[in-house]
């Protein structure tokens, strides 16, 4: 008879209690012992690029491997991508051991996943707030000072100045920064993201390819940290402008149907 993977229960519970829509799901392994869900993409007003949401469930049939539930940036399609997703350091994560109260803990994890889904919704609302102009050159400069700070010394730092200039250039004419999102806090975040992911040089390490090092940086390293800083700083700068009455609050978009 087919064996139902233990991770299927918490994943289905997560979907049920969160009332959230998912359009793809799957399992890996001989008996389907690893499962994943792909959530409906987020949409930010004026931005043509969707933001994908991934939820991972992982477990084993050996009686000792804890069930792992986490949100990840990697779509799991094979053993390699599973390893990458399990190695991601950011995001919510739960571990449920195979003890007598495992069923109760799985139900608790399902409820916790509702909070995770709510977190996605809060981020979507924040993103849509950031996608409303204007975002001044002064505010952009503040973001750059946090993400790419200039040392207080007498050196010229040409590489750092070039990097800062690149972010400004991307803010004004980045390939995917166009239309309604131009000149917004969301554009500032996208400019930093594009620089960190595609323009920033990564040090090579013997035995590791440049591509692998870049991917590690984007998901778990310096580039990921820069994007977190840019999000926090852009949101703070816009909130401060709203408090001073320089920005009119925008209505939140209607929630997507489950």
């Amino acid at each position: 008879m087919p064996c139902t993977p233990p991770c299927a229960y918490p994943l289905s519970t997560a979907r049920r209690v969160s009332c959230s829509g998912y359009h793809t799901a799957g399992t890996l392994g001989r008996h389907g012992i690893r499962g994943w869900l792909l959530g409906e993409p987020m949409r930010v007003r004026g931005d043509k690029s969707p933001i994908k949401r991934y939820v991972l469930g992982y477990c084993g049939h050996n009686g000792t491997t804890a069930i792992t539930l986490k949100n990840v940036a990697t779509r799991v399609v094979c053993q390699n991508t599973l390893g990458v997703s399990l190695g991601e350091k950011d995001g919510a994560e739960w571990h449920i051991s195979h003890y007598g109260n495992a069923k109760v803990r799985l139900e608790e994890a399902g409820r916790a996943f509702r909070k995770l889904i709510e977190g996605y919704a809060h981020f979507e609302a924040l993103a849509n707030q950031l996608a409303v102009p204007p975002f001044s050159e002064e505010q952009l400069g503040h973001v750059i000072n946090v993400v790419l700070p200039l040392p207080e010394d007498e050196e010229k730092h040409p590489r750092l100045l070039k990097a800062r200039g690149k972010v400004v250039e991307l803010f004004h004419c980045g390939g995917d920064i166009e239309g309604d999102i131009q000149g917004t806090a969301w554009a500032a975040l996208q400019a930093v993201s594009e620089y960190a992911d595609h323009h920033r040089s990564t040090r090579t390490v013997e035995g590791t390819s440049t591509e692998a090092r870049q991917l590690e940086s984007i998901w778990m390293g310096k580039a990921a940290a820069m994007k977190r800083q840019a999000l926090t700083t852009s949101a703070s700068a816009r909130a401060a402008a709203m408090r001073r009455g320089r920005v009119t609050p925008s209505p939140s978009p209607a929630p997507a149907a489950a």
Side-chain angles (χ1 to χ4, degrees):
M1 292 180 63
C3 180
T4 301
C7 60
Y9 176 76
L11 286 173
S12 62
T13 300
R15 183 187 184 280
R16 185 176 68 254
V17 301
S18 67
C19 299
S20 179
Y22 290 89
H23 63 71
T24 311
T27 57
L28 290 172
R30 184 176 179 182
H31 301 294
I33 62 173
R34 305 169 182 90
W36 53 270
L37 294 173
L38 170 59
E40 296 289 350
M42 298 181 192
R43 297 286 179 176
V44 178
R45 64 163 59 89
D47 193 335
K48 62 184 179 182
S49 302
I51 301 175
K52 297 178 180 179
R53 301 177 291 179
Y54 297 94
V55 177
L56 173 70
Y58 170 84
C59 60
H61 283 300
N62 56 13
T64 59
T65 303
I67 296 172
T68 299
L69 302 171
K70 63 186 298 185
N71 69 313
V72 295
T74 308
R75 180 169 184 168
V76 176
V77 295
C78 63
Q79 190 67 36
N80 290 337
T81 50
L82 174 65
V84 171
S85 64
L86 288 173
E88 292 180 19
K89 299 177 183 178
D90 292 331
E93 182 172 348
W94 294 270
H95 298 276
I96 299 98
S97 300
H98 293 275
Y99 298 132
N101 65 342
K103 185 173 184 290
V104 174
R105 297 186 68 192
L106 286 172
E107 292 171 347
E108 292 175 349
R111 289 191 292 271
F113 257 71
R114 180 170 187 168
K115 295 182 179 179
L116 184 153
I117 299 302
E118 289 172 352
Y120 277 131
H122 291 158
F123 174 75
E124 185 173 8
L126 172 61
N128 278 284
Q129 290 289 330
L130 296 180
V132 177
F135 198 70
S136 68
E137 294 289 334
E138 179 183 356
Q139 290 170 313
L140 175 63
H142 178 58
V143 172
I144 293 174
N145 286 336
V146 172
V147 176
L148 293 166
L150 277 172
E152 296 181 359
D153 56 30
E154 301 300 323
E155 301 295 326
K156 294 184 178 180
H157 303 287
R159 292 183 60 183
L160 184 53
L161 289 172
K162 182 179 179 180
R164 290 163 62 95
K166 187 64 178 180
V167 173
V168 174
E169 175 189 335
L170 292 169
F171 175 76
H172 290 290
C173 53
D176 292 325
I177 302 174
E178 57 187 12
D180 292 342
I181 66 171
Q182 286 184 314
T184 66
W186 184 249
L189 172 60
Q190 296 308 304
V192 173
S193 297
E194 185 172 342
Y195 167 76
D197 290 353
H198 303 292
H199 298 276
R200 177 179 170 272
S201 60
T202 304
R203 292 181 180 179
T204 57
V205 176
E206 185 176 355
T208 305
S209 68
T210 301
E211 291 78 9
R213 290 284 295 171
Q214 288 175 333
L215 194 58
E216 180 183 2
S217 177
I218 290 170
W219 282 342
M220 297 172 280
K222 177 63 175 178
M226 291 174 66
K227 289 178 283 189
R228 287 195 300 272
Q229 288 178 317
L231 173 61
T232 302
T233 310
S234 297
S236 297
R238 189 178 186 282
M242 289 179 62
R243 288 194 296 271
R244 294 193 297 268
R246 296 183 182 179
V247 178
T248 303
S250 60
S252 298

